[in-house]
Amino acid sequence: MSRLPFELFLALRYLRPKRTFVSVITLISILGVALGVAVLIIVISVMTGFDHDLREKILGFNAHLTVTRSGGTMKNYQIIAARLVSNKKVQGVSPFVFGPVLVETAGDTNRPALQDAPMLRGIDPATEGRVSALPREIIAGKYDLSGRGLLVGVDFASNLRLQVGDHLSIYSAREIKKMKAAHDRKQDEAILPDDYEVRGIFDAGYYEYNSRVIVASLDNAQDLYDLNDSVHGLFVMLRDPYQAPALKREIALGLGDELVATTWMEQSSGILNALIVEKNVMFYLLFFIVLVAALCILSAQITFVIQKTREIGMLKALGASKWQISGIFLGQSAIIGVIGVASGYGLGMLAVTYRNEFLHCMRRLTGWELFPASVYGFGELPALITSADVAVICLSSFVICIFGGLLPAWNAGRLKPVEALRHE
């Protein structure tokens, strides 16, 4: 330690614990900085992971761009699809039909019939793989929509107790209108629904898709909605998803005003913007933990300067400058900041790494699901540690610690030797 600078040597010597009140405040300051940094790293990493995973799930199940016709269905969609595919930004195009339906399981003596009202997505099995990851997300059965085949989400299948090979009755808008008309006429008219077989169960990784969407072939969906050869729109996959706004402008200029293009950012703008705002708000709120720790440093340093008034006077009498005296106490704040930030960084990284193991342990011990998929949409707690976020958290926390000791250090440097030694 003798080779250290004069200011740092004394700062380390003065920080040695001596079971005094100042030492207790110093330990509390280090603990406060460590907890503040750890909590910030955990929360910001989880929020960043939410945003990243949500974008991945949206882009995996939905296309980058959705093209529809304003005021009705899209006829001759093959011509529009061919023009879109010719664009260099476009990787693939596939037609779709999308709308609500009413489904009912086949009940028996051992299992009552169950009903639900999901959204039906009609796709072209041959081209769907170009615009989504659905063909690769089948976890049971197979990707088969031939005949009256049907794909259902894993949570939808769990809610309705479905397995591969089970049958579902689907009431489309056509049957529902007939049922309503018969009810208005007060007639008992039997409306027979269409019967479908569950051929596969998919897991899109997002609860909203897994529980609220079922998939049929384009032909069956067109029949359910009386569309003939028309579709509701086209899904467009781009080589770069962030080029969607540029292609939207090109479509508006080249394909006329009847076609409406919607980007994946616009479709999910509500939740994506909410995540960004929440991440920023959480950062500012949780940063107050570090500010409280900085106030503890301020309190400890003020008390420490008062206790070391005699030593300050002697050092100044021996020729120490005011900058050297101030450097001693700023060095103490810096050491507290380094120890606190390093401890918080290690604690935060450890917690983020084993976050899901902790949640599973708490679920086993308490029976509580701290992170329900039905609320948050994910089966596991996502997290993404970025070097930029960690650097901002650690550097800003360290700077706050330095500022916490700035005023006491300045006051210590202003002390005059005669005044400091007057009562000695």
Side-chain angles (χ1 to χ4, degrees), residues 1 10 12 37 59 136 138 155 169 238 254 270 317 330 349 403:
M1 292 180 61
L10 285 181
L12 288 170
V37 171
L59 295 177
R136 302 184 295 275
I138 305 300
D155 292 300
S169 298
L238 307 181
L330 278 179
M349 297 297 287
F403 275 107

PDB file of all heavy atoms in Angstrom, residues 1 10 12 37 59 136 138 155 169 238 254 270 317 330 349 403:
ATOM      1  N   MET A   1       0.818  -1.206   0.000  1.00  0.00           N
ATOM      2  CA  MET A   1       0.000   0.000   0.000  1.00  0.00           C
ATOM      3  C   MET A   1       0.857   1.264   0.000  1.00  0.00           C
ATOM      4  O   MET A   1       0.378   2.338  -0.339  1.00  0.00           O
ATOM      5  CB  MET A   1      -0.936   0.014   1.202  1.00  0.00           C
ATOM      6  CG  MET A   1      -2.025  -1.057   1.165  1.00  0.00           C
ATOM      7  SD  MET A   1      -3.102  -0.997   2.593  1.00  0.00           S
ATOM      8  CE  MET A   1      -3.792   0.626   2.461  1.00  0.00           C
ATOM      9  N   LEU A  10      -4.430   6.966   2.336  1.00  0.00           N
ATOM     10  CA  LEU A  10      -5.159   7.375   3.536  1.00  0.00           C
ATOM     11  C   LEU A  10      -6.641   7.022   3.444  1.00  0.00           C
ATOM     12  O   LEU A  10      -7.270   6.690   4.454  1.00  0.00           O
ATOM     13  CB  LEU A  10      -4.994   8.878   3.743  1.00  0.00           C
ATOM     14  CG  LEU A  10      -3.624   9.330   4.276  1.00  0.00           C
ATOM     15  CD1 LEU A  10      -3.601  10.839   4.465  1.00  0.00           C
ATOM     16  CD2 LEU A  10      -3.296   8.634   5.591  1.00  0.00           C
ATOM     17  N   LEU A  12      -7.981   4.388   1.994  1.00  0.00           N
ATOM     18  CA  LEU A  12      -8.115   2.971   2.349  1.00  0.00           C
ATOM     19  C   LEU A  12      -7.882   2.754   3.843  1.00  0.00           C
ATOM     20  O   LEU A  12      -8.562   1.936   4.474  1.00  0.00           O
ATOM     21  CB  LEU A  12      -7.120   2.145   1.534  1.00  0.00           C
ATOM     22  CG  LEU A  12      -7.427   1.981   0.048  1.00  0.00           C
ATOM     23  CD1 LEU A  12      -6.243   1.354  -0.680  1.00  0.00           C
ATOM     24  CD2 LEU A  12      -8.674   1.114  -0.139  1.00  0.00           C
ATOM     25  N   VAL A  37     -27.868  -1.386  -7.823  1.00  0.00           N
ATOM     26  CA  VAL A  37     -27.315  -1.833  -9.100  1.00  0.00           C
ATOM     27  C   VAL A  37     -27.892  -3.191  -9.490  1.00  0.00           C
ATOM     28  O   VAL A  37     -28.262  -3.420 -10.648  1.00  0.00           O
ATOM     29  CB  VAL A  37     -25.773  -1.890  -9.021  1.00  0.00           C
ATOM     30  CG1 VAL A  37     -25.187  -2.560 -10.261  1.00  0.00           C
ATOM     31  CG2 VAL A  37     -25.202  -0.488  -8.871  1.00  0.00           C
ATOM     32  N   LEU A  59     -42.906 -11.763 -34.902  1.00  0.00           N
ATOM     33  CA  LEU A  59     -42.359 -11.970 -36.238  1.00  0.00           C
ATOM     34  C   LEU A  59     -42.326 -13.443 -36.618  1.00  0.00           C
ATOM     35  O   LEU A  59     -42.237 -13.777 -37.798  1.00  0.00           O
ATOM     36  CB  LEU A  59     -40.948 -11.381 -36.321  1.00  0.00           C
ATOM     37  CG  LEU A  59     -40.869  -9.853 -36.171  1.00  0.00           C
ATOM     38  CD1 LEU A  59     -39.431  -9.392 -36.187  1.00  0.00           C
ATOM     39  CD2 LEU A  59     -41.656  -9.164 -37.268  1.00  0.00           C
ATOM     40  N   ARG A 136     -42.859 -25.022 -38.508  1.00  0.00           N
ATOM     41  CA  ARG A 136     -41.771 -25.521 -37.666  1.00  0.00           C
ATOM     42  C   ARG A 136     -42.127 -25.515 -36.189  1.00  0.00           C
ATOM     43  O   ARG A 136     -41.283 -25.878 -35.352  1.00  0.00           O
ATOM     44  CB  ARG A 136     -40.511 -24.674 -37.895  1.00  0.00           C
ATOM     45  CG  ARG A 136     -40.050 -24.661 -39.344  1.00  0.00           C
ATOM     46  CD  ARG A 136     -38.753 -23.881 -39.503  1.00  0.00           C
ATOM     47  NE  ARG A 136     -38.919 -22.462 -39.205  1.00  0.00           N
ATOM     48  CZ  ARG A 136     -39.336 -21.557 -40.071  1.00  0.00           C
ATOM     49  NH1 ARG A 136     -39.671 -21.918 -41.307  1.00  0.00           N
ATOM     50  NH2 ARG A 136     -39.450 -20.289 -39.727  1.00  0.00           N
ATOM     51  N   ILE A 138     -44.828 -27.115 -34.815  1.00  0.00           N
ATOM     52  CA  ILE A 138     -45.693 -28.236 -34.464  1.00  0.00           C
ATOM     53  C   ILE A 138     -44.990 -29.102 -33.424  1.00  0.00           C
ATOM     54  O   ILE A 138     -43.877 -29.595 -33.655  1.00  0.00           O
ATOM     55  CB  ILE A 138     -46.042 -29.077 -35.712  1.00  0.00           C
ATOM     56  CG1 ILE A 138     -46.664 -28.192 -36.798  1.00  0.00           C
ATOM     57  CG2 ILE A 138     -46.983 -30.217 -35.344  1.00  0.00           C
ATOM     58  CD1 ILE A 138     -47.939 -27.506 -36.388  1.00  0.00           C
ATOM     59  N   ASP A 155     -52.122 -24.259 -25.710  1.00  0.00           N
ATOM     60  CA  ASP A 155     -52.977 -23.839 -24.601  1.00  0.00           C
ATOM     61  C   ASP A 155     -54.455 -23.994 -24.950  1.00  0.00           C
ATOM     62  O   ASP A 155     -55.268 -24.309 -24.077  1.00  0.00           O
ATOM     63  CB  ASP A 155     -52.668 -22.388 -24.224  1.00  0.00           C
ATOM     64  CG  ASP A 155     -51.285 -22.239 -23.621  1.00  0.00           C
ATOM     65  OD1 ASP A 155     -51.025 -22.868 -22.591  1.00  0.00           O
ATOM     66  OD2 ASP A 155     -50.462 -21.511 -24.194  1.00  0.00           O
ATOM     67  N   SER A 169     -66.280 -29.294 -33.870  1.00  0.00           N
ATOM     68  CA  SER A 169     -67.343 -28.722 -34.697  1.00  0.00           C
ATOM     69  C   SER A 169     -67.154 -27.218 -34.746  1.00  0.00           C
ATOM     70  O   SER A 169     -67.012 -26.569 -33.706  1.00  0.00           O
ATOM     71  CB  SER A 169     -68.717 -29.065 -34.116  1.00  0.00           C
ATOM     72  OG  SER A 169     -68.920 -30.466 -34.106  1.00  0.00           O
ATOM     73  N   LEU A 238     -40.528  -9.985 -45.254  1.00  0.00           N
ATOM     74  CA  LEU A 238     -39.435  -9.197 -45.828  1.00  0.00           C
ATOM     75  C   LEU A 238     -38.083  -9.783 -45.447  1.00  0.00           C
ATOM     76  O   LEU A 238     -37.954 -10.504 -44.455  1.00  0.00           O
ATOM     77  CB  LEU A 238     -39.526  -7.744 -45.335  1.00  0.00           C
ATOM     78  CG  LEU A 238     -40.863  -7.026 -45.535  1.00  0.00           C
ATOM     79  CD1 LEU A 238     -40.760  -5.604 -45.027  1.00  0.00           C
ATOM     80  CD2 LEU A 238     -41.282  -7.054 -46.983  1.00  0.00           C
ATOM     81  N   GLY A 254     -47.545   2.373 -55.611  1.00  0.00           N
ATOM     82  CA  GLY A 254     -47.555   1.523 -56.789  1.00  0.00           C
ATOM     83  C   GLY A 254     -48.800   0.691 -56.999  1.00  0.00           C
ATOM     84  O   GLY A 254     -49.116   0.319 -58.134  1.00  0.00           O
ATOM     85  N   GLY A 270     -49.207  -0.933 -29.562  1.00  0.00           N
ATOM     86  CA  GLY A 270     -49.642  -0.689 -28.190  1.00  0.00           C
ATOM     87  C   GLY A 270     -48.750  -1.347 -27.168  1.00  0.00           C
ATOM     88  O   GLY A 270     -48.200  -0.692 -26.270  1.00  0.00           O
ATOM     89  N   ALA A 317      -0.965  21.304   8.201  1.00  0.00           N
ATOM     90  CA  ALA A 317       0.191  21.943   8.815  1.00  0.00           C
ATOM     91  C   ALA A 317       1.494  21.369   8.268  1.00  0.00           C
ATOM     92  O   ALA A 317       2.526  22.064   8.217  1.00  0.00           O
ATOM     93  CB  ALA A 317       0.140  21.767  10.331  1.00  0.00           C
ATOM     94  N   LEU A 330     -12.831  12.039  -1.399  1.00  0.00           N
ATOM     95  CA  LEU A 330     -13.393  11.594  -2.680  1.00  0.00           C
ATOM     96  C   LEU A 330     -12.951  10.168  -2.988  1.00  0.00           C
ATOM     97  O   LEU A 330     -13.715   9.373  -3.562  1.00  0.00           O
ATOM     98  CB  LEU A 330     -12.949  12.537  -3.803  1.00  0.00           C
ATOM     99  CG  LEU A 330     -13.738  13.827  -3.985  1.00  0.00           C
ATOM    100  CD1 LEU A 330     -13.153  14.646  -5.126  1.00  0.00           C
ATOM    101  CD2 LEU A 330     -15.208  13.528  -4.262  1.00  0.00           C
ATOM    102  N   MET A 349     -26.179 -10.224 -12.093  1.00  0.00           N
ATOM    103  CA  MET A 349     -25.920 -11.224 -13.130  1.00  0.00           C
ATOM    104  C   MET A 349     -26.284 -12.623 -12.646  1.00  0.00           C
ATOM    105  O   MET A 349     -26.822 -13.437 -13.402  1.00  0.00           O
ATOM    106  CB  MET A 349     -24.448 -11.168 -13.537  1.00  0.00           C
ATOM    107  CG  MET A 349     -24.028  -9.848 -14.164  1.00  0.00           C
ATOM    108  SD  MET A 349     -24.866  -9.488 -15.714  1.00  0.00           S
ATOM    109  CE  MET A 349     -24.048 -10.638 -16.793  1.00  0.00           C
ATOM    110  N   PHE A 403     -20.569  11.882  -6.434  1.00  0.00           N
ATOM    111  CA  PHE A 403     -21.262  13.126  -6.090  1.00  0.00           C
ATOM    112  C   PHE A 403     -21.705  13.119  -4.628  1.00  0.00           C
ATOM    113  O   PHE A 403     -21.793  14.173  -3.998  1.00  0.00           O
ATOM    114  CB  PHE A 403     -22.466  13.342  -6.995  1.00  0.00           C
ATOM    115  CG  PHE A 403     -22.133  14.019  -8.294  1.00  0.00           C
ATOM    116  CD1 PHE A 403     -22.128  13.317  -9.480  1.00  0.00           C
ATOM    117  CD2 PHE A 403     -21.804  15.364  -8.327  1.00  0.00           C
ATOM    118  CE1 PHE A 403     -21.804  13.932 -10.676  1.00  0.00           C
ATOM    119  CE2 PHE A 403     -21.477  15.999  -9.514  1.00  0.00           C
ATOM    120  CZ  PHE A 403     -21.470  15.280 -10.696  1.00  0.00           C
TER     121      PHE A 403
END
